[in-house]
Amino acid sequence: MALGSNQRHPRLGAPRGVVAAAMDLMDGDLGEVVARSPIVTSAPVGPSLRTYANAAVVLDSELAPHDLLRALQGLEADLGRTRQGQRWRARTIDLDVVLWSGGIVATSDLAVPHPLFRTRRFVLGPASAIAPDWRDPITGLTLRHLHARLTRPGRLPR
């Protein structure tokens, strides 16, 4: 699971506090959080100008992927997220199913693995910190390998 916030919450405070609270709320309500990454800071994607706080968790849950998605959207709503207006704008919390131990889900409302996770440092960094040997079912590469590919330095010009 990937978590992100770039908007203050009236009770929880700054985005780092929102992400930490969301991790706590997932633990027990949605399953058992068996690993938590450090919370990192990242630049925004899209039109938002606010810096994000991002993290990842490994969640042991009995919920099927679509039930988990609905539960996550309920948790987002409880934490003040509204789904209106422009995509990728500032938000109190964003919770995504990135990978699932059951492999691939491809429906109109849910795609697992998350279609963009391989290109996002703010997802791969935290995820590889807590589950480095977890494999992407599409490429077969581990999170450690995907993160290394994404962050390796470019070639020097000749």
Side-chain angles (χ1 to χ4, degrees), residues 24-55:
D24 291 341
L25 290 169
M26 291 169 73
D27 195 20
D29 290 349
L30 305 181
E32 180 186 358
V33 172
V34 295
R36 298 173 187 234
S37 77
I39 299 172
V40 299
T41 301
S42 67
V45 172
S48 181
L49 300 176
R50 298 172 185 245
T51 301
Y52 270 84
N54 294 100

Side-chain angles (χ1 to χ4, degrees), residues 14-102:
R16 293 178 80 80
V18 177
V19 169
M23 288 181 185
D24 291 341
L25 290 169
M26 291 169 73
D27 195 20
D29 290 349
L30 305 181
E32 180 186 358
V33 172
V34 295
R36 298 173 187 234
S37 77
I39 299 172
V40 299
T41 301
S42 67
V45 172
S48 181
L49 300 176
R50 298 172 185 245
T51 301
Y52 270 84
N54 294 100
V57 299
V58 174
L59 180 70
D60 184 6
S61 178
E62 296 295 321
L63 296 174
H66 283 88
D67 295 331
L68 181 58
L69 174 65
R70 282 188 287 283
L72 290 172
Q73 289 172 342
L75 179 55
E76 288 176 336
D78 290 347
L79 291 174
R81 173 146 186 205
T82 57
R83 293 183 175 273
Q84 337 171 13
Q86 192 173 33
R87 194 172 182 196
W88 294 323
R89 64 185 177 86
R91 61 196 75 162
T92 307
I93 191 70
D94 184 31
L95 304 171
D96 289 315
V97 180
V98 176
L99 293 166
W100 175 54
S101 61

